[in-house]
Amino acid sequence: ISSQPLQVSGPDLVSDRLRTRIPDYLLTYADGSVELVDVTTPKRAETERVAEASAWLRQACRLRGWHYQLWTG
């Protein structure tokens, strides 16, 4: 488990802009799998801004064979 270990940058094909995220946690497992985790409050998770950023990071992880979760509690 690493806290704020990296920055992910890349194009957002939906909004046609460059996005950058620093996820809250990087989890690496014994089987070699990788998971990025963002943490926010339930109320913020419902906002358009957080939903868009989470969707983008989920897709970026998927392209690398990683997993993504948004923790809200």
Side-chain angles (χ1 to χ4, degrees):
I1 299 173
S2 297
S3 177
Q4 296 185 322
L6 61 111
Q7 177 175 297
V8 180
S9 298
D12 183 332
L13 302 177
V14 175
S15 67
D16 196 33
R17 67 179 239 202
L18 181 65
R19 284 197 180 266
T20 300
R21 287 283 305 145
I22 299 173
D24 292 305
Y25 295 101
L26 167 71
L27 310 176
T28 56
Y29 297 96
D31 66 1
S33 61
V34 175
E35 185 166 28
L36 295 182
V37 177
D38 275 327
V39 180
T40 191
T41 64
K43 186 174 182 174
R44 284 197 66 205
E46 295 175 3
T47 65
E48 185 176 338
R49 180 177 179 198
V50 172
E52 287 177 1
S54 294
W56 174 80
L57 189 51
R58 181 173 284 109
Q59 179 63 21
C61 286
R62 188 176 298 128
L63 291 172
R64 290 163 181 79
W66 296 356
H67 304 280
Y68 172 79
Q69 286 192 51
L70 179 64
W71 291 351
T72 60

